[in-house]
Amino acid sequence: MTELARILVPLAVGLPAAGALLIAFSRSARLCDNVARGAGVLAAAAGLALAAVALAGDGPASGHWYVVDGAGGLLLGVTAGVGLVSVLVSPGYLRSAGRSWVSSAAAHRLYYVALLAFWSALAACALAANLAVAWLIVEATTAASALLVTFSGSRGALEAGWKYLVLTTLGLSVALLGIIVLAVSQAKLGHHGLHALDWRAIHSAAPLLPRHTALFAFVLIVVGLASKVGWAPVHNWLPDAHSEAPAPVSAMLSAALLPSVVLVAWRARTALGAGLGAEAGSTVFIGFGLISILVAVPFLWKRLPWKRLLAYSSLEHMGVIALGIGFGTPLAVAGVVLHIAGHALAKALGFYASLPLLRGDRRLGHVAPSGVAAGSPLTASAMAVSLISLAGLPPSPLFISELLILLGGVAAGDVAVVVVAALALALGFLGLVHVLIEGVLGEPGAPRHAAGAHAPTHGGGQRTLALSVGLAAAGLIALAVCGVALPGSALIGGLMRGVG
Amino acid sequence: MNGVLVSAILLLALATVSVRRRSVAIAAVGLQSLLLGAGALTLVSGRSSGYLVASAVLAVKGVVAPALLYALMRQTREPRLVIAAHGPLVRLALTTAAALLGAVLTPSLGLADRHVERAAVALLVIGIMIVVLRRPALHQLLGLLVAENGLSLLAVSVPGGLSYVVELGALLDLVLVATVAGAFVHRIHLEFGTGDTEQLRGLRD
């Protein structure tokens, strides 16, 4: 595994970066599209191969700068898969995007350079063997993704991009304060330099750290990262950024960025675990998880524009993942792994479905859809598959993952938290089913409210969408089947020994 | 680090939250970065080369960033005064209270000099308060720089220095974020005719 990883790691990170570099010097929009497609296919092949190596391997492989383990492999796979589809659907988005805040000649270049740089940073984040380097990479994703969020140049996009940039930068400053506190503690133990902040070095030193210092650093790091994950109550940027960004970017933000940052927080918990005590680390994650779910659920009952609804669903699902990490039992960890994969697939499909939806009726950027099936059955089927999966309706893999996480919570003895979370998730489920019935399958309302009733897709677009829905549905069912076998597997055993 | 220098750095941060003119605020943050750079240089002798890197980092923040922000300010002239939600004295009082609270409540971070720890945390809090209390986008960008200077003050005081990879990486990230933020400020002016972030309140549920 180590030899293969040594070859694939630079490819998984370097290929999207090389693609961005090539596009920066490409003159025509068509050339940009083609280079992005080529770079995307190659980068996805490298990323998926490395993910397969990591998930099938018998233990983590590590180098001077990287660690390839099960959790990192999972995120690499998610980033590669979603990144590839986002790149492939981007030419269609760019053709119909209308306006951008840069000139049309530069728009393609800016878009692809930022998208591929973002992809490269996400891949590097999953592999980073060092807390400070992981922080630098997470911060680096901010600039690229903020540019993408504001790509349309509309007032809403500017507002979303500004909020995202300012709030996440301030949050990450708090996380950096925690990292410096940890660096000071390591220096006092005689560990200096960058490698004192390697996950392994922190893990080794954690039992020797004063408990209050370890706890203070941990809380600062996780609270800071929470602003980037979008965990409530520091989630204000999330609904705006996800709803205003181009759909392929929203898919990357929700499916890949948020869980990648969660992974850094998870690794911090594992590394500092021995210095925190049994309860402290769990409490922080469970707190963020529960608050996020409780804040998200009322919005799942509101008549919101499609992408905004998906954004609040992201808040809910990041909360579920936080709960699973907080419970920390083998069942819960199996649930977390399955949830990250299932959420990525279902959410990405939901955002891609917004492309034909918004092409058909631009008002749907600002109003809730209504009776989409009547005008565009294919778009409606994509939305329905996404909604059914996100709601956790069997046989969705998210049904199994939520069940695993809640059972894991019972096994951890957090019964009260499990009860509250189960009730909130049930309400969230009902909210999304309500959207499915009213917004997707229901009758179109009065003309003013019947947004989406006439959102046709044509020719090649229809074939691509039909294929995407079929593949996504098959993938979701396959994940559900795999999910049943996850508890007790070698992958979960490896993750229980520690991420990073 | 010299106590007078640290006090001056703190006072300049407090000035940024209360001054009206953007040019004065830019000058205050630039001077603050320069003083921080000078302070880092006094720690160099016989210590890690990381301090030299930190000094170079801070010099860039003290000279290049303010020059670019000044150019940005010239391109984004405000047609009229952006009305503040709170007067300068109220802003100063609120920020001072928050900074004192942050500094007092923060447990020991393990540095030899407790004053530096408290000053660094106070700077981070002041940066956050600038973003919260100031409405012009350019002032909010300056708030990010003040918060970053608080972290730099702490970083240069780590025994043996923080790794130069982290120092330079953080600088690169800051340059990227500030560049994108600068571009946004410019665009916000073009779109809204003002840099008043009160205009950015259209997205609601």
Side-chain angles (χ1 to χ4, degrees):
Chain A
M1 176 175 171
T2 310
E3 275 307 309
L4 201 52
R6 194 175 296 158
I7 296 165
L8 289 171
V9 164
L11 292 176
V13 177
L15 282 170
L21 204 62
L22 276 176
I23 289 170
F25 296 102
S26 301
R27 285 175 179 269
S28 75
R30 193 169 172 184
L31 185 59
C32 290
D33 286 344
N34 289 334
V35 174
R37 279 193 197 105
V41 168
L42 292 174
L48 289 170
L50 187 54
V53 166
L55 292 169
D58 48 0
S62 57
H64 205 55
W65 292 95
Y66 66 84
V67 59
V68 183
D69 61 358
L74 174 70
L75 265 303
L76 263 180
V78 164
T79 302
V82 178
L84 175 62
V85 182
S86 285
V87 164
L88 293 180
V89 301
S90 287
Y93 163 76
L94 289 169
R95 267 196 305 275
S96 61
R99 59 177 276 189
S100 166
W101 70 308
V102 290
S103 67
S104 58
H108 268 63
R109 258 203 317 272
L110 173 76
Y111 177 89
Y112 282 123
V113 167
L115 186 65
L116 289 171
F118 184 36
W119 179 346
S120 175
L122 289 175
C125 184
L127 295 166
N130 181 289
L131 171 60
V133 173
W135 181 90
L136 289 172
I137 295 165
V138 170
E139 175 76 326
T141 64
T142 304
S145 50
L147 277 175
L148 290 165
V149 168
T150 55
F151 181 75
S152 76
S154 68
R155 290 185 165 203
L158 276 174
E159 177 180 344
W162 183 254
K163 252 189 223 175
Y164 171 60
L165 191 75
V166 171
L167 293 178
T168 58
T169 302
L170 277 182
L172 290 176
S173 298
V174 174
L176 183 56
L177 177 61
I179 293 169
I180 295 173
V181 171
L182 207 52
V184 173
S185 304
Q186 287 285 61
K188 288 173 88 172
L189 292 173
H191 308 307
H192 296 279
L194 181 65
H195 291 293
L197 292 170
D198 282 355
W199 299 118
R200 279 187 181 172
I202 297 170
H203 189 263
S204 304
L208 307 173
L209 294 175
R211 192 167 170 219
H212 71 275
T213 306
L215 188 59
F216 187 57
F218 172 74
V219 170
L220 288 173
I221 290 166
V222 176
V223 167
L225 291 174
S227 71
K228 185 83 179 182
V229 176
W231 277 327
V234 280
H235 66 289
N236 302 47
W237 64 268
L238 190 147
D240 299 345
H242 281 46
S243 59
E244 294 298 322
V249 176
S250 304
M252 290 279 280
L253 287 173
S254 182
L257 172 68
L258 306 188
S260 293
V261 185
V262 171
L263 176 63
V264 179
W266 190 5
R267 288 197 199 282
R269 190 213 160 168
T270 306
L272 278 168
L276 295 174
E279 291 294 317
S282 297
T283 307
V284 175
F285 277 93
I286 289 173
F288 274 124
L290 208 53
I291 295 170
S292 298
I293 295 170
L294 292 173
V295 167
V297 164
F299 290 96
L300 302 181
W301 276 90
K302 279 189 154 186
R303 299 274 294 146
L304 293 174
W306 175 244
K307 285 172 71 187
R308 222 166 160 78
L309 179 82
L310 292 179
Y312 281 108
S313 160
S314 295
L315 176 59
E316 183 200 22
H317 287 293
M318 288 308 118
V320 173
I321 291 169
L323 271 188
I325 295 171
F327 294 148
T329 54
L331 280 177
V333 170
V336 168
V337 169
L338 184 59
H339 207 85
I340 289 173
H343 170 260
L345 193 49
K347 190 56 64 66
L349 178 66
F351 279 117
Y352 298 139
S354 73
L355 284 169
L357 190 73
L358 293 177
R359 231 181 347 250
D361 187 346
R362 288 197 181 276
R363 288 175 304 158
L364 288 179
H366 308 287
V367 296
S370 158
V372 177
S376 180
L378 259 179
T379 307
S381 65
M383 294 167 75
V385 170
S386 174
L387 271 180
I388 288 169
S389 304
L390 292 172
L393 195 70
S396 160
L398 298 188
F399 168 74
I400 297 169
S401 62
E402 286 173 2
L403 196 63
L404 287 172
I405 288 170
L406 294 177
L407 289 174
V410 173
D414 293 312
V415 179
V417 175
V418 168
V419 169
V420 175
L423 286 173
L425 288 174
L427 288 172
F429 165 82
L430 292 174
L432 290 183
V433 169
H434 178 248
V435 174
L436 177 68
I437 293 168
E438 291 283 319
V440 181
L441 305 174
E443 291 294 315
R448 191 167 60 87
H449 302 292
H454 304 287
T457 46
H458 301 287
Q462 279 198 326
R463 279 193 298 277
T464 308
L465 188 57
L467 182 68
S468 307
V469 176
L471 284 175
L476 286 163
I477 290 170
L479 271 178
V481 172
C482 293
V484 176
L486 261 183
S489 65
L491 173 64
I492 302 306
L495 292 178
M496 288 308 295
R497 285 192 292 277
V499 286
Chain B
M1 193 179 285
N2 183 301
V4 177
L5 209 57
V6 173
S7 303
I9 288 168
L10 275 172
L11 286 174
L12 285 165
L14 287 172
T16 310
V17 83
S18 51
V19 297
R20 184 175 65 85
R21 297 179 73 88
R22 293 185 300 169
S23 55
V24 179
I26 292 169
V29 174
L31 185 56
Q32 183 191 57
S33 299
L34 282 174
L35 291 179
L36 203 45
L41 277 171
T42 64
L43 298 171
V44 170
S45 55
R47 309 284 289 276
S48 156
S49 59
Y51 288 117
L52 272 173
V53 174
S55 305
V57 165
L58 293 167
V60 169
K61 281 175 21 183
V63 178
V64 179
L68 291 175
L69 287 173
Y70 189 75
L72 178 64
M73 185 200 75
R74 303 260 307 187
Q75 286 185 356
T76 56
R77 292 196 180 280
E78 286 291 348
R80 64 190 73 84
L81 188 68
V82 175
I83 297 167
H86 308 284
L89 286 177
V90 176
R91 291 199 300 268
L92 191 61
L94 287 173
T95 306
T96 307
L100 280 173
L101 204 63
V104 169
L105 292 180
T106 301
S108 169
L109 307 181
L111 290 179
D113 191 341
R114 183 83 178 114
H115 295 301
V116 169
E117 289 181 353
R118 288 188 166 139
V121 172
L123 278 175
L124 180 61
V125 173
I126 294 169
I128 293 171
M129 291 301 286
I130 291 170
V131 173
V132 172
L133 294 173
R134 299 307 307 258
R135 283 168 48 169
L138 195 68
H139 272 103
Q140 294 190 350
L141 176 51
L142 290 171
L144 296 182
L145 296 180
V146 169
E148 188 73 21
N149 276 347
L151 296 172
S152 295
L153 175 60
L154 203 59
V156 297
S157 309
V158 173
L162 207 58
S163 159
Y164 69 91
V165 174
V166 180
E167 295 267 17
L168 291 177
L171 176 70
L172 180 64
D173 280 345
L174 183 71
V175 167
L176 285 172
V177 165
T179 306
V180 172
F184 284 6
V185 170
H186 190 252
R187 184 68 202 179
I188 288 168
H189 266 268
L190 283 179
E191 191 71 30
F192 295 92
T194 171
D196 184 359
T197 51
E198 273 299 295
Q199 304 293 321
L200 303 175
R201 286 180 177 269
L203 299 172
R204 286 269 187 276
D205 292 311

